[in-house]
Every structure is written in C-alpha cells, then in structure tokens.
Amino acid sequence: VRASELLVTAGRQLLRRQPAGDLYSLAKQVHTVTLARGELTALASDAALAVETFDQPLLVAVMGEFSSGKSTFVNAFLGAAVAPVGITPTTATINVVKYGRTRKGRIVYRDDTAQDLSWDEVPRALAALDAEKTRSVRHVEVLYPLELLERIQVVDTPGLNSILPEHDLAAREFIASADAVVWVFSVGQAGKATEREALNAIRAAGKEVVGVINKIDQADPAEVPQLVAHVASELGTLLSTVVPVSARRALAAKQAADPAALAASS
C-alpha cells in the first residue's frame, strides 16, 4: 500500500512538471522513480512494460472490400504515395507499411525466406506476381523514411472479396494484434451483408473499428450526410465513428500542402 501511495505521489509531481500529452516521457520518468526508490522496485517491471509499450508503434489495420480505395486511403493518411496501388484481386498481398531509414521493400514468403527490393523494384516486383506466386507470399513490407511511421505502422490488407485462403491466417494475425481497425467503404456500396459479417467478427475480437466512406467525390455533396447517416444507422453498433472522405483528393491536397483543398476532401 505504501509503495502504491508513493507511486501516485511521484506521478502527480511528474504530471505537474510534464507537458500535457507527453505520456512517453512521463512513463520513462515513472520508471526511473521506481528504480530509484527501494520501496517501489516491485513496480519497476510494470513501469518498464509501459515504456516498452510506448516504444512500439501503433498497428492500424486497413480493411474493406476490393476497389474501395484502401491503398489510396493509406497514402492519403500518410501524405505520401507509399502503399502500392493498382493491384489486381488475384495478386493482392498483405502490405505492411512501416518506418525505414531508406525507401525499400521486402517480400516475406511463407517458407520464412525474404526478398529485399530497392524502392524502384517494389512496384515492378508486385506487378510481376501471378496468382501462384502470390500464394507463396506471407506479406510485403514497404519501408519509408516518414516520421509518422515511427509511431504508426499500417497494414493494408487485400480486399475482403479477394483475399486468398493462404493469406487469411496472416490477415487474422495482424487484426488480432492491431491497436485499431479502419474499415473503408466505397460510396454507394456501403453496408453489404458480407461487410456486416466481417465487422461482427472484428468487433467480437474486441477491436475498435473506424468506418471511412471513401470516394465521396463521386457522390452528390448534398447526399453525403445521408450516406453517413445510413451507414451509422445500419452498422452503428459495429463502428465507433463514420467519416466521409475522398482519399484521392486528400492525398493530392497533402502533397500540394493545400489546407483548403484538404478540408474540402472530407
């Protein structure tokens, strides 16, 4: 009890000195306190675990049916053309976008071998995959020197209606370890029975799901609020929120550093 009281007191003192929102620094300082005070050493391992957790990037899984614009959404989120686009349903792979000091790629095969790729080779290598070769791929890593990727890793999954049986287990493993799931709907086609079934399974696994209605540039602007309301009404218990966006326009706006265009993309 005494140790817990001391830890609370130390935490309060640190919070008064710590800038709001800097939880990582706070966790490190609490860990230092537990090591320095003998009566708190029993709590040091828990404090170390908190620091380690902050050290690990958040894992966000992006899902949805094929052609909903998942890869374009990932690129819009990152503000750079990182995730491969234009992949066909029969050659779609699980792509993990993560931080790297240099731009490059890596194909990780189901037999635990890997093929390193230069940045220019990534699109050519993925385009060269046929259906048979794709089945031998566990996932593809896309490494990019973007600061945001030091804090967040993004898993760009194949379309729900195109995922190969060989990739199903890997996709489930990524979802199980994901900190959050983003489900990308295509405007005018949101709320299908297959989507509801998949969302039920994800929510049953205890994952929070953010719904994104993509391609709103293809809809009448006056209809967008109705589309959002419809999806929220139909799938509200399965989604924490529903956000409309034109990922294509958002990416272009970020690349052009145009705040007004970015605001207009959602």
Side-chain angles (χ1 to χ4, degrees), residues 16 42 45 49 67 88 90 128 135-136 146 149 161 171 192 243:
R16 284 197 291 268
S45 60
L49 180 60
S67 79
T88 65
T90 56
R135 294 178 186 277
S136 68
L146 189 67
L149 290 173
N161 48 346
K192 296 179 180 178
V243 181

Side-chain angles (χ1 to χ4, degrees), residues 66 87-92 134 158 161-164:
F66 190 80
I87 306 299
T88 65
T90 56
T91 60
T134 300
N161 48 346
S162 65
I163 192 167
L164 297 172

Side-chain angles (χ1 to χ4, degrees), residues 3-83:
S4 297
E5 291 175 351
L6 285 170
L7 184 58
V8 170
T9 301
R12 287 173 178 168
Q13 292 173 349
L14 289 170
L15 279 171
R16 284 197 291 268
R17 299 199 305 267
Q18 197 65 34
D22 194 356
L23 295 179
Y24 177 66
S25 296
L26 176 60
K28 289 198 296 184
Q29 291 184 44
V30 169
H31 182 226
T32 300
V33 170
T34 61
L35 293 174
R37 300 289 294 269
E39 60 269 56
L40 298 178
T41 53
L43 301 171
S45 60
D46 289 337
L49 180 60
V51 174
E52 183 181 349
T53 300
F54 275 110
D55 271 335
Q56 298 298 318
L58 292 175
L59 184 65
V60 177
V62 179
M63 305 186 67
E65 294 208 337
F66 190 80
S67 79
S68 60
K70 297 184 303 300
S71 298
T72 303
F73 170 80
V74 170
N75 288 335
F77 173 70
L78 298 175
V82 181

Side-chain angles (χ1 to χ4, degrees), residues 71-72 74-83 85 103 119 144 146 246-262 265:
S71 298
T72 303
V74 170
N75 288 335
F77 173 70
L78 298 175
V82 181
V85 297
R103 299 185 303 173
W119 183 251
Y144 200 87
L146 189 67
S246 167
R248 180 179 62 84
R249 290 182 176 177
L251 175 59
K254 282 191 174 183
Q255 291 177 321
D258 187 339
L262 181 61
S265 68

